[in-house]
Amino acid sequence: PAARSLFDEPLAIAVQGLGPRQQVTLRASLRDEAGELFQARARYQAGDDGELDLARCPALPGGSFSGLEPMGLLWALQPQKPFRYMLKKDVQNPFVVQLEVFEGHGEPPGRLLAQAQHERAFLRDGVRRVPVREGRIRATLFVPPGNGPFPGIIDLYGIGGGLLEYRACLLANYGFSVLALAFYDYEDLPKEAKEFHLEYFEEAINYMLQHNQVKGPGIGLLGFSKGGDLCVSMASFLKGITATALINGSVANVGTVLRYKDITIPPLGVNAKRIKVNESGIADIIDVLNNPLEGPDCQSFIPLEKAECRFLFIVGQDDHNWKSEFFAVEGSKRLQAHGKEKPEIVCYPGAGHYIEPPFFPMCAASMHLLVGRPVLWGGEPKAHCDAQIDAWQQIQAFFRKHLAG
């Protein structure tokens, strides 16, 4: 489309009116809400007719990517300052992408030949965004247009805290009522992640189950990173969960004590001596966590065999935050050992930790709240991009199958 599209939708990009076989450099620029500039550039040669269609013309070597990559200018966007992560906080306003065509393949590029702006939106027309402040719950509910009720999902992000709405918002565009739930460092919630109480999450589940725009009898959970093991704990101890999808999640409780009534699950042990720091000062923390199958660390393994739901594990095989594939495999073994249904495990070679909705550029390394320095997230940009596109479809299909029937 010409002026506006949804962020997770592919775009068709073409340049017309060039000279036959003219060499040009295309550049995409996006400034996020923190004011960080992200850019990607690629070298191209127009066809004999002076047209350049990114769906048919491969990018030449020497830019941010090469080969036939119709969406390369978006997935290859990189911050101009190191260790910055493209974050969307306000889903009601689109990101604006500036596209420019420059003459030649020089560094810096030649004169500007053409430019266009395009809006990448998050909120589809008709989707309602409802701030939720019920009891202790601090969240935002997204409800699709049309006659509900719709399959309901609670969406949890990782250890960064605050309230992130963009994934919940994009998911609601496909016919789900989705609650983006904050669990610390937001408004009057605890400032630090010292311990989590499942009673808070139970309130959110009951809110969804009682909502007239949520189709019962159960709801889905979607969790990334720390949000993943919180979802496993919710599914294991709380009622009303039908389907749980984890994106590079853990099956052990990580980082903080978890409490529910008289139950306490300690966090998995860590050994900071196992952090490896490279010459750029970036930490690789993949070996920091203890093994939840050994010694006292067994107490941190969440008893997911108690869950009455179906599981989907989305795994980036180059995740450097922790061993996501190991967690998925051990979770599967434990479920099957207790006579439960085998979970779906979808593995992506070359995908790192931060598997986001489609076309978010891969973040190779950024500051980690708990480590206090930049850490390596893993991933190879092209493989990671492909994984995000496929995982997004897998997640939707999983929830449609188990929540919508």
Side-chain angles (χ1 to χ4, degrees):
R4 191 181 176 102
S5 56
L6 285 173
F7 193 90
D8 62 335
E9 291 177 337
L11 267 184
I13 300 173
V15 186
Q16 290 155 344
L18 296 169
R21 308 190 70 72
Q22 183 174 354
Q23 292 191 335
V24 289
T25 298
L26 269 58
R27 184 172 75 184
S29 308
L30 184 157
R31 202 172 282 282
D32 76 1
E33 291 150 340
E36 296 298 338
L37 180 64
F38 291 77
Q39 286 190 325
R41 64 187 65 205
R43 294 172 172 179
Y44 283 98
Q45 183 168 0
D48 292 331
D49 55 1
E51 294 221 355
L52 171 58
D53 181 347
L54 271 56
R56 292 202 305 268
C57 288
L60 305 171
S64 307
F65 58 91
S66 59
L68 194 61
E69 297 293 347
M71 288 292 286
L73 285 169
L74 293 171
W75 65 250
L77 285 166
Q78 283 299 302
Q80 298 308 287
K81 292 182 192 148
F83 313 133
R84 295 298 197 273
Y85 189 83
M86 187 186 288
L87 200 57
K88 186 69 182 133
K89 290 227 165 136
D90 174 13
V91 297
Q92 295 176 95
N93 286 308
F95 273 145
V96 178
V97 181
Q98 179 86 18
L99 295 162
E100 296 166 298
V101 185
F102 296 98
E103 199 168 47
H105 291 165
E107 277 297 336
R111 70 187 173 99
L112 180 66
L113 302 175
Q115 60 182 323
Q117 273 196 351
H118 186 86
E119 293 186 345
R120 296 287 274 169
F122 287 78
L123 206 53
R124 192 190 284 280
D125 288 344
V127 172
R128 283 185 295 142
R129 178 186 174 275
V130 186
V132 179
R133 304 289 181 272
E134 300 244 344
R136 288 180 301 170
I137 306 167
R138 301 294 173 260
T140 304
L141 179 66
F142 293 92
V143 182
N147 297 327
F150 305 96
I153 298 166
I154 294 177
D155 182 29
L156 293 181
Y157 257 89
I159 202 65
L163 179 58
L164 296 177
E165 301 180 355
Y166 58 91
R167 186 173 60 204
C169 173
L170 288 171
L171 199 51
N173 295 332
Y174 297 97
F176 300 97
S177 286
V178 191
L179 186 76
L181 181 65
F183 49 93
Y184 84 102
D185 195 19
Y186 182 72
E187 292 186 358
D188 55 353
L189 292 175
K191 278 278 164 278
E192 289 172 9
K194 287 210 173 74
E195 57 179 38
F196 293 130
H197 293 261
L198 276 183
E199 284 84 352
Y200 172 77
F201 300 92
E202 191 168 36
E203 251 185 81
I205 294 169
N206 292 334
Y207 169 83
M208 288 295 276
L209 289 172
Q210 289 158 16
H211 200 286
N212 63 6
Q213 289 300 312
V214 174
K215 173 187 171 180
I219 61 165
L221 302 176
L222 174 59
F224 161 71
S225 193
K226 173 62 193 173
D229 69 74
L230 284 169
C231 286
V232 176
S233 295
M234 289 162 75
S236 303
F237 293 107
L238 308 177
K239 300 266 182 287
I241 309 301
T242 303
T244 299
L246 314 174
I247 303 170
N248 285 329
S250 160
V251 291
N253 181 46
V254 178
T256 55
V257 174
L258 183 79
R259 300 188 195 280
Y260 182 58
K261 297 183 176 166
D262 56 354
I263 299 162
T264 299
I265 301 186
L268 192 57
V270 296
N271 182 349
K273 291 197 178 83
R274 296 196 289 252
I275 296 178
K276 297 190 277 293
V277 180
N278 71 11
E279 60 283 355
S280 313
I282 303 170
D284 187 345
I285 60 172
I286 191 161
D287 295 318
V288 163
L289 292 172
N290 292 350
N291 186 340
L293 305 178
E294 293 171 1
D297 287 296
C298 291
Q299 296 167 34
S300 300
F301 203 121
I302 302 158
L304 75 170
E305 69 278 2
K306 293 180 190 286
E308 296 293 330
C309 70
R310 302 299 295 269
F311 285 98
L312 165 67
F313 289 88
I314 297 287
V315 172
Q317 289 178 302
D318 193 35
D319 184 350
H320 276 260
N321 182 68
W322 55 31
K323 296 172 181 170
S324 298
E325 188 170 12
F326 167 79
F327 287 140
V329 169
E330 291 307 325
S332 178
K333 284 184 195 165
R334 182 146 173 174
L335 285 167
Q336 291 176 85
H338 287 82
K340 296 287 176 135
E341 198 86 43
K342 188 180 179 183
E344 291 177 54
I345 301 178
V346 186
C347 291
Y348 297 100
H353 185 60
Y354 263 96
I355 295 178
E356 292 275 35
F359 310 122
F360 269 92
M362 187 192 94
C363 179
S366 69
M367 284 302 291
H368 191 299
L369 217 63
L370 300 183
V371 183
R373 64 157 70 232
V375 304
L376 191 67
W377 300 120
E380 182 279 306
K382 169 64 179 153
H384 192 88
C385 166
D386 292 345
Q388 291 186 158
I389 294 168
D390 189 73
W392 194 231
Q393 298 304 320
Q394 298 274 0
I395 290 163
Q396 290 172 48
F398 172 75
F399 284 131
R400 272 203 194 93
K401 180 176 170 185
H402 297 297
L403 299 179

